Amino acid sequence: FGLQFTLPYVWRTHHHIDGLGEDGTNGEGESTNFSANGIGDIRVGLKYNMLPTLRSLVVLGFGVFLPTGSTQRTDSLGNLMESTAQLGRGAVGLNPTLYQTYELVPHKLNQFSSASYRHTFQNNDGYQFGDQWDFNLGLNLVTVPWLVVSSQFNYRYMVHDNFSSSLYRSATPADGPALFPGEPILIDPTIQNRSVPTTGSTFLSFTPGFNLSLDGIVESAWTRMTSVYFFSAIPVARDSNNSLAQGTSYVFGLTRSFQMLNPS
């Protein structure tokens, strides 16, 4: 068994035009900035090694995302930003995982694959983030005992978000001077769960990277069972439903392991 604790720190900046069709002399809207940083949603997970052999490993896991990230950040106009811009999702999330690895060349080259699913419940603002599926496949090469280089393919599929709301649209010049610019025009007053059309996406990337074991370079109490990693996700194929598209991204971090019990 293993216990995993993930503490993310989020730094986010954003700019958009607010009130299109409503504010401004000609309905051009108002330039709005948003920035926030802080702790995101903490994940606590339990892992169980189902198939430990000399060359293979299968690990089943189950994690829970806790709503620790702030959901009350405002923009430069003092308005509360929507759920997708906040540091946290504002609701509990469930996250089962599966990891598999096999040593093609013992202690030198191994193959790995993983799959995970995330379901987030609706938050207090009536917003529910869509389910997320992740599938990964790759190879790890041990160049020297303290340096492992990696190449992998990552696929992510995200379902549309849902929002409990009525339905409005912005006014346009075609509505005439009596309505444009002006207040949004009501389409459907019924408050119900509605799919958010610009959410949901598919993303496939090629991701090279490395993992550097610090205790292999410097032997000390601070570096024991500690490593740093860096990966670069390069898009191969993507569909973002006319929303923001992820470009080349970079992930880096620090991993520290602790042995709680000595084996008998």
Side-chain angles (χ1 to χ4, degrees), residues 133-211:
W133 301 82
D134 290 276
F135 301 95
N136 309 292
L137 177 66
L139 296 171
N140 286 325
L141 176 64
V142 181
T143 57
V144 291
W146 46 267
L147 177 62
V148 178
V149 295
S150 172
S151 293
Q152 57 186 292
F153 285 96
N154 309 111
Y155 177 77
R156 181 181 67 233
Y157 171 65
M158 300 183 68
V159 182
H160 286 294
D161 297 351
N162 279 280
F163 186 43
S164 180
S165 68
S166 53
L167 189 62
Y168 288 76
R169 70 170 177 85
S170 296
T172 68
D175 295 313
L179 297 177
F180 178 85
E183 294 299 316
I185 298 173
L186 178 64
I187 298 176
D188 182 0
T190 305
I191 297 178
Q192 63 183 17
N193 287 334
R194 302 176 186 274
S195 177
V196 183
T198 55
T199 61
S201 63
T202 56
F203 183 76
L204 175 65
S205 68
F206 171 66
T207 308
F210 65 86
N211 188 294

Coordinates of all heavy atoms in Angstrom, one line a residue, residues 133-211:
W133 N -10.7 11.9 -18.9 CA -10.1 10.6 -19.1 C -8.7 10.9 -19.5 O -8.4 11.7 -20.4 CB -10.8 9.8 -20.1 CG -12.2 9.5 -19.8 CD1 -13.3 10.3 -19.9 CD2 -12.7 8.3 -19.2 NE1 -14.4 9.6 -19.5 CE2 -14.1 8.4 -19.0 CE3 -12.1 7.1 -18.7 CZ2 -14.9 7.4 -18.5 CZ3 -12.9 6.1 -18.2 CH2 -14.3 6.2 -18.1
D134 N -7.7 10.2 -19.0 CA -6.3 10.3 -19.4 C -5.7 9.0 -19.6 O -5.9 8.0 -18.8 CB -5.5 11.0 -18.3 CG -5.8 12.5 -18.1 OD1 -5.3 13.3 -18.9 OD2 -6.7 12.8 -17.3
F135 N -4.9 8.8 -20.8 CA -4.2 7.6 -21.1 C -2.8 8.0 -21.5 O -2.6 8.9 -22.3 CB -4.9 6.9 -22.3 CG -6.4 6.5 -22.0 CD1 -7.4 7.4 -22.3 CD2 -6.7 5.4 -21.3 CE1 -8.7 7.1 -22.1 CE2 -8.0 5.0 -21.0 CZ -9.0 5.9 -21.4
N136 N -1.8 7.2 -21.0 CA -0.4 7.5 -21.2 C 0.3 6.2 -21.6 O 0.0 5.2 -21.0 CB 0.2 8.2 -20.0 CG -0.6 9.3 -19.5 OD1 -0.7 10.4 -20.1 ND2 -1.2 9.2 -18.3
L137 N 1.3 6.3 -22.5 CA 2.1 5.2 -22.9 C 3.5 5.7 -23.2 O 3.7 6.7 -23.9 CB 1.5 4.5 -24.1 CG 2.3 3.3 -24.7 CD1 2.3 2.2 -23.7 CD2 1.7 2.9 -26.0
G138 N 4.5 5.0 -22.6 CA 5.9 5.5 -22.9 C 7.0 4.6 -22.5 O 6.7 3.4 -22.1
L139 N 8.2 5.1 -22.6 CA 9.4 4.3 -22.3 C 10.3 5.1 -21.3 O 10.4 6.4 -21.5 CB 10.2 4.0 -23.5 CG 9.5 3.0 -24.6 CD1 10.4 3.0 -25.8 CD2 9.3 1.6 -24.0
N140 N 11.0 4.4 -20.4 CA 12.0 5.1 -19.5 C 13.3 4.4 -19.8 O 13.4 3.2 -19.8 CB 11.6 4.9 -18.0 CG 10.5 5.8 -17.6 OD1 10.4 6.9 -18.1 ND2 9.7 5.3 -16.7
L141 N 14.4 5.2 -20.0 CA 15.7 4.7 -20.2 C 16.6 5.2 -19.1 O 16.8 6.4 -18.9 CB 16.3 5.2 -21.5 CG 17.7 4.8 -21.9 CD1 17.9 3.2 -22.0 CD2 18.2 5.4 -23.2
V142 N 17.3 4.2 -18.4 CA 18.2 4.6 -17.3 C 19.6 4.8 -17.9 O 20.2 3.8 -18.3 CB 18.3 3.5 -16.2 CG1 19.3 3.9 -15.1 CG2 16.9 3.2 -15.6
T143 N 20.0 6.0 -18.1 CA 21.3 6.3 -18.7 C 22.4 6.1 -17.7 O 23.4 5.4 -18.0 CB 21.3 7.8 -19.2 OG1 21.1 8.6 -18.1 CG2 20.3 8.0 -20.3
V144 N 22.3 6.6 -16.5 CA 23.2 6.4 -15.3 C 22.2 6.2 -14.2 O 21.0 6.6 -14.3 CB 24.1 7.6 -15.1 CG1 25.2 7.6 -16.2 CG2 23.4 8.9 -15.0
P145 N 22.6 5.6 -13.1 CA 21.7 5.3 -12.0 C 20.9 6.5 -11.5 O 19.8 6.3 -11.0 CB 22.6 4.8 -10.9 CG 23.8 4.2 -11.6 CD 24.0 5.1 -12.8
W146 N 21.4 7.7 -11.6 CA 20.7 8.9 -11.1 C 19.9 9.7 -12.1 O 19.3 10.7 -11.8 CB 21.6 9.8 -10.3 CG 22.9 10.0 -11.0 CD1 24.1 9.4 -10.9 CD2 23.2 11.1 -12.0 NE1 25.1 9.9 -11.7 CE2 24.5 11.0 -12.4 CE3 22.4 12.1 -12.5 CZ2 25.1 11.8 -13.3 CZ3 23.0 12.9 -13.5 CH2 24.3 12.8 -13.8
L147 N 20.0 9.3 -13.4 CA 19.3 10.0 -14.5 C 18.5 9.1 -15.4 O 19.1 8.2 -16.0 CB 20.3 10.8 -15.3 CG 19.8 11.6 -16.5 CD1 18.8 12.6 -16.0 CD2 20.9 12.2 -17.3
V148 N 17.2 9.3 -15.4 CA 16.3 8.6 -16.3 C 15.6 9.5 -17.3 O 15.1 10.5 -16.9 CB 15.2 7.9 -15.4 CG1 14.2 7.1 -16.3 CG2 15.8 6.9 -14.4
V149 N 15.8 9.2 -18.6 CA 15.2 10.0 -19.6 C 13.9 9.2 -20.1 O 13.8 8.0 -20.1 CB 16.1 10.3 -20.8 CG1 17.3 11.1 -20.4 CG2 16.6 9.0 -21.4
S150 N 12.9 10.0 -20.5 CA 11.6 9.4 -20.8 C 11.0 10.0 -22.1 O 11.3 11.2 -22.4 CB 10.6 9.7 -19.6 OG 9.3 9.3 -19.9
S151 N 10.3 9.2 -22.8 CA 9.5 9.6 -24.0 C 8.1 8.9 -23.9 O 8.1 7.7 -23.6 CB 10.2 9.2 -25.3 OG 11.4 9.9 -25.5
Q152 N 7.1 9.7 -24.0 CA 5.8 9.2 -23.9 C 4.8 9.9 -24.7 O 5.0 11.0 -25.2 CB 5.3 9.2 -22.4 CG 5.4 10.6 -21.8 CD 5.1 10.6 -20.3 OE1 4.0 10.3 -19.9 NE2 6.1 10.9 -19.5
F153 N 3.6 9.3 -25.0 CA 2.5 9.9 -25.6 C 1.4 10.0 -24.5 O 1.1 9.1 -23.8 CB 2.0 9.0 -26.8 CG 2.9 9.2 -28.0 CD1 3.8 8.2 -28.3 CD2 2.7 10.2 -28.9 CE1 4.7 8.3 -29.4 CE2 3.5 10.4 -30.0 CZ 4.5 9.4 -30.2
N154 N 0.7 11.2 -24.5 CA -0.3 11.4 -23.5 C -1.6 11.8 -24.3 O -1.6 12.7 -25.2 CB 0.1 12.5 -22.6 CG 1.4 12.3 -22.0 OD1 2.4 13.0 -22.3 ND2 1.6 11.3 -21.1
Y155 N -2.7 11.2 -23.9 CA -4.0 11.5 -24.5 C -5.0 11.9 -23.4 O -5.1 11.2 -22.4 CB -4.6 10.3 -25.3 CG -5.9 10.5 -25.9 CD1 -6.1 11.3 -27.0 CD2 -7.1 10.0 -25.3 CE1 -7.4 11.5 -27.5 CE2 -8.3 10.2 -25.8 CZ -8.5 11.0 -26.9 OH -9.8 11.2 -27.4
R156 N -5.7 13.0 -23.6 CA -6.7 13.5 -22.7 C -8.0 13.8 -23.4 O -8.0 14.4 -24.4 CB -6.1 14.7 -22.0 CG -7.1 15.3 -20.9 CD -6.5 16.6 -20.3 NE -6.5 17.7 -21.3 CZ -5.4 18.4 -21.5 NH1 -4.3 18.1 -20.9 NH2 -5.5 19.4 -22.4
Y157 N -9.1 13.3 -22.8 CA -10.4 13.5 -23.3 C -11.2 14.1 -22.2 O -11.3 13.6 -21.1 CB -11.1 12.3 -23.8 CG -12.5 12.4 -24.1 CD1 -12.9 13.3 -25.2 CD2 -13.5 11.8 -23.4 CE1 -14.3 13.4 -25.5 CE2 -14.9 11.9 -23.7 CZ -15.2 12.8 -24.8 OH -16.6 12.9 -25.1
M158 N -11.8 15.3 -22.4 CA -12.6 16.0 -21.4 C -14.0 16.2 -21.9 O -14.2 16.7 -23.1 CB -12.0 17.4 -21.0 CG -10.6 17.2 -20.5 SD -9.8 18.8 -19.9 CE -10.9 19.2 -18.5
V159 N -15.0 15.9 -21.1 CA -16.4 16.0 -21.5 C -16.8 17.5 -21.2 O -16.2 18.2 -20.4 CB -17.3 15.0 -20.6 CG1 -18.7 15.1 -21.0 CG2 -16.8 13.6 -20.8
H160 N -17.9 17.9 -21.9 CA -18.4 19.3 -21.7 C -18.7 19.5 -20.2 O -19.2 18.6 -19.5 CB -19.7 19.5 -22.5 CG -19.4 19.7 -24.0 ND1 -18.8 20.8 -24.5 CD2 -19.8 18.9 -25.0 CE1 -18.7 20.7 -25.8 NE2 -19.3 19.5 -26.2
D161 N -18.5 20.7 -19.7 CA -18.9 21.2 -18.4 C -20.4 21.4 -18.4 O -21.0 21.5 -19.5 CB -18.2 22.5 -18.0 CG -16.7 22.3 -17.9 OD1 -16.2 21.2 -17.9 OD2 -16.0 23.3 -17.7
N162 N -21.0 21.4 -17.2 CA -22.4 21.7 -17.1 C -22.6 22.9 -16.1 O -21.9 23.0 -15.2 CB -23.2 20.5 -16.6 CG -23.5 19.5 -17.7 OD1 -24.4 19.7 -18.5 ND2 -22.7 18.5 -17.9
F163 N -23.6 23.7 -16.4 CA -23.9 24.9 -15.5 C -25.4 25.0 -15.3 O -26.2 25.0 -16.3 CB -23.3 26.1 -16.2 CG -23.4 27.4 -15.3 CD1 -23.1 27.3 -14.0 CD2 -23.8 28.6 -15.8 CE1 -23.2 28.4 -13.1 CE2 -23.9 29.7 -15.0 CZ -23.6 29.6 -13.7
S164 N -25.8 25.1 -14.1 CA -27.2 25.2 -13.8 C -27.6 26.7 -13.9 O -27.2 27.5 -13.1 CB -27.5 24.7 -12.4 OG -28.9 24.9 -12.0
S165 N -28.4 27.0 -14.9 CA -28.6 28.5 -15.2 C -29.8 28.6 -16.2 O -30.3 27.7 -16.8 CB -27.4 29.1 -15.8 OG -27.2 28.6 -17.1
S166 N -30.3 29.9 -16.3 CA -31.1 30.2 -17.4 C -30.2 30.6 -18.6 O -29.0 30.5 -18.5 CB -32.0 31.4 -17.0 OG -31.2 32.5 -16.5
L167 N -30.8 31.0 -19.7 CA -30.0 31.2 -20.9 C -30.3 32.6 -21.5 O -31.4 33.0 -21.8 CB -30.4 30.1 -21.9 CG -29.5 30.0 -23.2 CD1 -28.1 29.7 -22.8 CD2 -30.0 29.0 -24.2
Y168 N -29.2 33.3 -21.7 CA -29.2 34.7 -22.3 C -28.3 34.7 -23.4 O -27.4 33.9 -23.6 CB -28.9 35.7 -21.3 CG -29.9 36.0 -20.2 CD1 -30.0 35.2 -19.1 CD2 -30.6 37.2 -20.2 CE1 -30.9 35.4 -18.1 CE2 -31.5 37.5 -19.2 CZ -31.7 36.6 -18.2 OH -32.6 36.8 -17.2
R169 N -28.4 35.8 -24.3 CA -27.4 36.0 -25.3 C -27.1 37.5 -25.3 O -27.9 38.4 -24.9 CB -27.8 35.6 -26.7 CG -29.0 36.4 -27.3 CD -29.2 36.1 -28.7 NE -30.3 36.8 -29.3 CZ -30.3 38.0 -29.8 NH1 -29.1 38.7 -29.8 NH2 -31.3 38.6 -30.3
S170 N -25.9 37.9 -25.7 CA -25.5 39.3 -25.8 C -26.3 40.0 -27.0 O -26.6 39.3 -28.0 CB -24.0 39.4 -26.1 OG -23.3 39.0 -25.0
A171 N -26.6 41.2 -26.8 CA -27.2 42.0 -27.9 C -26.2 42.2 -29.0 O -25.0 42.3 -28.8 CB -27.7 43.3 -27.4
T172 N -26.7 42.3 -30.3 CA -25.9 42.6 -31.4 C -26.5 43.8 -32.2 O -27.6 44.2 -32.0 CB -25.8 41.4 -32.4 OG1 -27.1 41.2 -33.0 CG2 -25.4 40.1 -31.6
P173 N -25.7 44.4 -33.1 CA -26.2 45.6 -33.9 C -27.5 45.2 -34.6 O -28.4 46.1 -34.9 CB -25.1 45.9 -34.8 CG -23.9 45.5 -34.1 CD -24.3 44.2 -33.4
A174 N -27.7 43.9 -35.0 CA -28.9 43.5 -35.7 C -30.1 43.6 -34.9 O -31.3 43.7 -35.4 CB -28.7 42.1 -36.2
D175 N -30.0 43.7 -33.6 CA -31.2 43.9 -32.7 C -31.7 45.3 -32.7 O -32.8 45.5 -32.1 CB -30.8 43.4 -31.3 CG -30.5 42.0 -31.2 OD1 -31.3 41.2 -31.7 OD2 -29.5 41.6 -30.6
G176 N -31.0 46.2 -33.3 CA -31.4 47.6 -33.4 C -31.0 48.5 -32.2 O -30.6 48.0 -31.2
P177 N -31.0 49.8 -32.4 CA -30.5 50.7 -31.4 C -31.3 50.7 -30.1 O -30.8 51.1 -29.0 CB -30.7 52.1 -32.1 CG -31.7 51.9 -33.1 CD -31.6 50.5 -33.6
A178 N -32.5 50.2 -30.1 CA -33.2 50.1 -28.8 C -32.7 49.0 -27.9 O -32.9 49.1 -26.7 CB -34.7 49.8 -29.1
L179 N -32.0 48.0 -28.4 CA -31.5 46.9 -27.6 C -30.0 46.9 -27.6 O -29.4 46.3 -26.7 CB -32.0 45.6 -28.2 CG -33.6 45.4 -28.1 CD1 -33.9 44.1 -28.7 CD2 -34.0 45.4 -26.7
F180 N -29.3 47.4 -28.6 CA -27.8 47.4 -28.7 C -27.2 48.8 -28.6 O -27.7 49.6 -29.4 CB -27.4 46.7 -30.0 CG -25.9 46.6 -30.1 CD1 -25.2 45.6 -29.6 CD2 -25.2 47.6 -30.9 CE1 -23.8 45.5 -29.7 CE2 -23.9 47.5 -31.0 CZ -23.2 46.5 -30.4
P181 N -26.3 49.0 -27.8 CA -25.9 48.1 -26.7 C -26.9 48.2 -25.5 O -27.6 49.2 -25.4 CB -24.5 48.7 -26.3 CG -24.6 50.1 -26.6 CD -25.4 50.3 -27.8
G182 N -26.9 47.1 -24.8 CA -27.9 47.0 -23.7 C -27.8 45.7 -23.0 O -26.8 45.0 -23.1
E183 N -28.7 45.4 -22.1 CA -28.7 44.2 -21.3 C -28.8 43.0 -22.2 O -29.4 43.0 -23.3 CB -29.8 44.3 -20.3 CG -29.7 45.4 -19.3 CD -28.5 45.2 -18.4 OE1 -28.2 44.1 -18.0 OE2 -27.8 46.2 -18.2
P184 N -28.3 41.9 -21.7 CA -28.4 40.6 -22.4 C -29.9 40.3 -22.7 O -30.8 40.6 -21.9 CB -27.8 39.6 -21.5 CG -26.9 40.4 -20.6 CD -27.5 41.7 -20.4
I185 N -30.2 39.6 -23.8 CA -31.5 39.2 -24.2 C -31.8 37.8 -23.7 O -31.1 36.9 -24.0 CB -31.6 39.3 -25.7 CG1 -31.4 40.8 -26.1 CG2 -33.0 38.9 -26.2 CD1 -31.3 41.0 -27.6
L186 N -33.0 37.7 -23.0 CA -33.4 36.4 -22.5 C -33.8 35.4 -23.6 O -34.6 35.8 -24.4 CB -34.5 36.6 -21.5 CG -35.1 35.3 -20.8 CD1 -34.1 34.6 -20.0 CD2 -36.3 35.7 -20.0
I187 N -33.3 34.2 -23.5 CA -33.7 33.2 -24.5 C -34.6 32.1 -23.8 O -35.6 31.8 -24.3 CB -32.5 32.5 -25.1 CG1 -31.6 33.5 -25.9 CG2 -32.9 31.3 -26.0 CD1 -30.3 32.9 -26.4
D188 N -34.2 31.7 -22.6 CA -34.9 30.7 -21.9 C -34.8 30.9 -20.4 O -33.7 30.9 -19.8 CB -34.4 29.3 -22.2 CG -35.2 28.2 -21.5 OD1 -36.1 28.5 -20.8 OD2 -34.8 27.0 -21.7
P189 N -35.9 31.3 -19.7 CA -35.8 31.6 -18.3 C -35.7 30.4 -17.3 O -35.4 30.6 -16.2 CB -37.1 32.4 -18.0 CG -38.1 31.7 -19.0 CD -37.3 31.4 -20.2
T190 N -35.9 29.2 -17.8 CA -35.8 28.0 -17.0 C -34.4 27.8 -16.5 O -33.5 27.7 -17.3 CB -36.4 26.8 -17.7 OG1 -37.7 27.1 -18.2 CG2 -36.4 25.6 -16.8
I191 N -34.3 27.6 -15.2 CA -33.0 27.3 -14.6 C -32.8 25.8 -14.7 O -33.5 25.0 -14.0 CB -32.8 27.8 -13.2 CG1 -32.9 29.4 -13.2 CG2 -31.5 27.4 -12.6 CD1 -32.8 30.0 -11.8
Q192 N -31.9 25.3 -15.4 CA -31.6 23.9 -15.6 C -30.2 23.6 -15.9 O -29.4 24.6 -16.2 CB -32.5 23.3 -16.7 CG -32.2 23.9 -18.0 CD -33.2 23.3 -19.1 OE1 -34.2 22.8 -18.8 NE2 -32.8 23.4 -20.4
N193 N -29.7 22.4 -15.8 CA -28.4 22.0 -16.2 C -28.2 22.1 -17.7 O -28.9 21.5 -18.5 CB -28.0 20.6 -15.7 CG -27.8 20.5 -14.2 OD1 -27.5 21.5 -13.6 ND2 -28.1 19.4 -13.7
R194 N -27.2 22.9 -18.1 CA -27.0 23.2 -19.5 C -25.5 22.9 -19.9 O -24.6 23.3 -19.1 CB -27.3 24.6 -19.9 CG -28.7 25.0 -19.6 CD -29.0 26.5 -19.9 NE -30.3 26.9 -19.5 CZ -31.4 26.8 -20.2 NH1 -31.3 26.3 -21.4 NH2 -32.5 27.2 -19.8
S195 N -25.2 22.2 -21.0 CA -23.9 22.0 -21.4 C -23.2 23.3 -21.9 O -23.8 24.1 -22.5 CB -23.9 21.0 -22.6 OG -22.6 20.8 -23.1
V196 N -22.0 23.5 -21.5 CA -21.2 24.7 -21.9 C -20.5 24.4 -23.2 O -19.5 23.6 -23.2 CB -20.2 25.1 -20.8 CG1 -19.5 26.4 -21.2 CG2 -20.9 25.3 -19.4
P197 N -20.9 24.9 -24.3 CA -20.4 24.5 -25.6 C -18.9 24.7 -25.9 O -18.3 23.9 -26.7 CB -21.3 25.3 -26.6 CG -21.7 26.5 -25.8 CD -21.9 26.0 -24.4
T198 N -18.3 25.7 -25.2 CA -16.9 25.9 -25.5 C -16.0 25.2 -24.5 O -14.8 25.4 -24.5 CB -16.6 27.4 -25.4 OG1 -17.0 27.9 -24.1 CG2 -17.3 28.2 -26.5
T199 N -16.5 24.2 -23.8 CA -15.7 23.4 -22.9 C -15.6 22.0 -23.5 O -16.3 21.7 -24.5 CB -16.3 23.3 -21.5 OG1 -17.6 22.7 -21.5 CG2 -16.4 24.7 -20.9
G200 N -14.8 21.1 -22.9 CA -14.6 19.8 -23.4 C -13.5 19.9 -24.5 O -13.5 20.8 -25.3
S201 N -12.7 18.9 -24.5 CA -11.6 18.9 -25.5 C -11.0 17.5 -25.6 O -11.2 16.6 -24.8 CB -10.5 19.9 -25.1 OG -9.9 19.5 -23.8
T202 N -10.2 17.4 -26.7 CA -9.3 16.2 -26.8 C -7.9 16.7 -27.1 O -7.7 17.7 -27.8 CB -9.7 15.3 -28.0 OG1 -9.8 16.0 -29.2 CG2 -11.1 14.7 -27.7
F203 N -6.9 16.0 -26.6 CA -5.5 16.5 -26.7 C -4.6 15.3 -26.7 O -4.6 14.5 -25.8 CB -5.2 17.4 -25.5 CG -3.8 18.1 -25.5 CD1 -3.6 19.1 -26.4 CD2 -2.8 17.6 -24.7 CE1 -2.3 19.7 -26.5 CE2 -1.6 18.2 -24.8 CZ -1.3 19.2 -25.6
L204 N -3.7 15.3 -27.7 CA -2.7 14.2 -27.8 C -1.4 14.9 -27.9 O -1.2 15.8 -28.8 CB -2.9 13.3 -29.0 CG -1.9 12.3 -29.3 CD1 -1.8 11.3 -28.2 CD2 -2.1 11.6 -30.7
S205 N -0.4 14.5 -27.1 CA 0.9 15.1 -27.1 C 2.0 14.1 -27.0 O 1.8 13.0 -26.5 CB 1.1 16.1 -25.9 OG 1.1 15.4 -24.7
F206 N 3.2 14.5 -27.6 CA 4.4 13.7 -27.4 C 5.2 14.5 -26.3 O 5.4 15.7 -26.4 CB 5.2 13.7 -28.7 CG 6.6 13.1 -28.5 CD1 6.8 11.8 -28.1 CD2 7.7 13.9 -28.7 CE1 8.0 11.3 -28.0 CE2 9.0 13.4 -28.5 CZ 9.2 12.1 -28.1
T207 N 5.6 13.7 -25.3 CA 6.2 14.3 -24.1 C 7.5 13.7 -23.7 O 7.6 12.7 -23.1 CB 5.2 14.2 -22.9 OG1 3.9 14.7 -23.3 CG2 5.7 15.0 -21.7
P208 N 8.6 14.4 -24.1 CA 10.0 13.9 -23.6 C 10.3 14.6 -22.3 O 9.7 15.7 -21.9 CB 10.9 14.5 -24.7 CG 10.2 15.7 -25.2 CD 8.7 15.4 -25.1
G209 N 11.2 14.0 -21.5 CA 11.5 14.6 -20.2 C 12.6 13.7 -19.5 O 13.1 12.8 -20.1
F210 N 12.8 14.1 -18.2 CA 13.8 13.4 -17.5 C 13.5 13.4 -16.0 O 12.7 14.3 -15.5 CB 15.2 13.9 -17.7 CG 15.4 15.3 -17.2 CD1 15.8 15.6 -15.9 CD2 15.3 16.4 -18.1 CE1 16.0 16.9 -15.4 CE2 15.5 17.7 -17.6 CZ 15.8 17.9 -16.3
N211 N 14.0 12.5 -15.2 CA 13.9 12.4 -13.8 C 15.3 12.3 -13.2 O 16.1 11.4 -13.6 CB 13.0 11.3 -13.4 CG 12.7 11.3 -11.9 OD1 13.6 11.1 -11.0 ND2 11.5 11.4 -11.5

